[in-house]
Amino acid sequence: MKKRLLFAMGIFFLLFDFYVFAAVPMDFIAETEAKAAQGMTPEKKKASEYFKRGEVLFKKRQYEQALRFFAAAYKLDKENSDALKHIAFSYYQMKDHNRAYGYFKKVLEIFPNDKDAKDFMDFYENIRGQRKKQAEKREMVDSVWRAAALPGWGQMHNHQMLKGILVSSGMLVSGGLTVYN
């Protein structure tokens, strides 16, 4: 009896919360958008329309078309950081990383506290650091002494992980079989 009562109360509160929190915010959002639209200049309204069209195309993964709308939105409203960020994200999705990097840099120049742009710049800096580290020339002697000390270590040092693991495990297996026999 107690469990049924608790279950019924749980369902009641769940439905009540859904009614209160799902119905009210829609009215609030509509009022907020109406108030915001009243204070907008015609250019900002047009920029907002372009941005919304760009978002629809971006969600459909039509990045080139979305890019045009985001660029038009930013051209009409230079204070729209979201349009500029979406331009950068569009270039990123189109695998044009240099342009994406440039646009995120521009976002940070104009809006220095933008978290998305900071996170993306950190991501790019980490990738660049890894590439620089991999591009470093390694001395042959360095790899040879590592391989002589522990087979496979030289390959791992030269970023040939799979080859290093195979050589190391092969050496361990052959050593184990030698001791076993």
Side-chain angles (χ1 to χ4, degrees), residues 7-24:
F7 180 73
M9 287 175 55
I11 295 292
F12 171 76
F13 284 117
L14 182 69
L15 293 174
F16 180 75
D17 287 345
F18 178 75
Y19 173 74
V20 169
F21 293 114
V24 173

Side-chain angles (χ1 to χ4, degrees), residues 11 24 34 53 60 75 85 95 98 104 117 127 135 147 166:
I11 295 292
V24 173
R53 287 182 188 169
K60 290 181 180 178
K75 193 174 185 180
K85 280 193 290 190
K95 308 276 189 264
N98 290 332
F104 278 116
I127 289 174
L166 289 174

Side-chain angles (χ1 to χ4, degrees), residues 20-174:
V20 169
F21 293 114
V24 173
M26 295 305 285
D27 296 335
F28 177 73
I29 291 170
E31 288 176 21
T32 307
E33 285 181 353
K35 286 179 184 176
Q38 290 173 353
M40 290 177 113
T41 63
E43 291 85 19
K44 287 192 178 191
K45 284 182 185 178
K46 190 95 170 157
S48 177
E49 289 176 23
Y50 282 149
F51 183 77
K52 288 177 184 175
R53 287 182 188 169
E55 278 186 318
V56 169
L57 291 168
F58 190 87
K59 288 178 183 174
K60 290 181 180 178
R61 297 179 185 214
Q62 297 174 355
Y63 304 117
E64 290 181 27
Q65 290 85 5
L67 180 63
R68 291 179 185 147
F69 282 103
F70 293 138
Y74 182 69
K75 193 174 185 180
L76 291 172
D77 183 10
K78 297 288 185 183
E79 297 172 4
N80 191 347
S81 67
D82 288 333
L84 196 56
K85 280 193 290 190
H86 277 74
I87 291 170
F89 282 127
S90 296
Y91 278 122
Y92 175 76
Q93 291 295 336
M94 293 187 312
K95 308 276 189 264
D96 191 348
H97 299 291
N98 290 332
R99 283 191 180 171
Y101 182 81
Y103 274 98
F104 278 116
K105 205 172 189 178
K106 189 173 182 180
V107 170
L108 284 178
E109 288 172 4
I110 300 169
F111 309 100
N113 295 327
D114 192 284
K115 186 183 180 328
D116 292 334
K118 283 182 182 179
D119 290 344
F120 216 79
M121 291 297 282
D122 290 342
F123 169 73
Y124 267 126
E125 293 301 326
N126 285 339
I127 289 174
R128 284 185 171 184
Q130 289 173 356
R131 286 185 181 163
K132 280 183 183 178
K133 199 173 191 180
Q134 287 179 347
E136 286 178 359
K137 291 213 172 193
R138 308 250 181 191
E139 293 290 326
M140 181 136 177
V141 175
D142 201 25
S143 297
V144 170
W145 77 260
R146 289 172 192 269
L150 183 66
W153 190 17
Q155 283 84 2
M156 288 183 192
H157 179 69
N158 285 330
H159 303 291
Q160 299 172 346
M161 297 300 171
L162 181 62
K163 192 186 276 187
I165 290 170
L166 289 174
V167 169
S168 298
S169 58
M171 189 66 181
L172 287 172
V173 168
S174 64

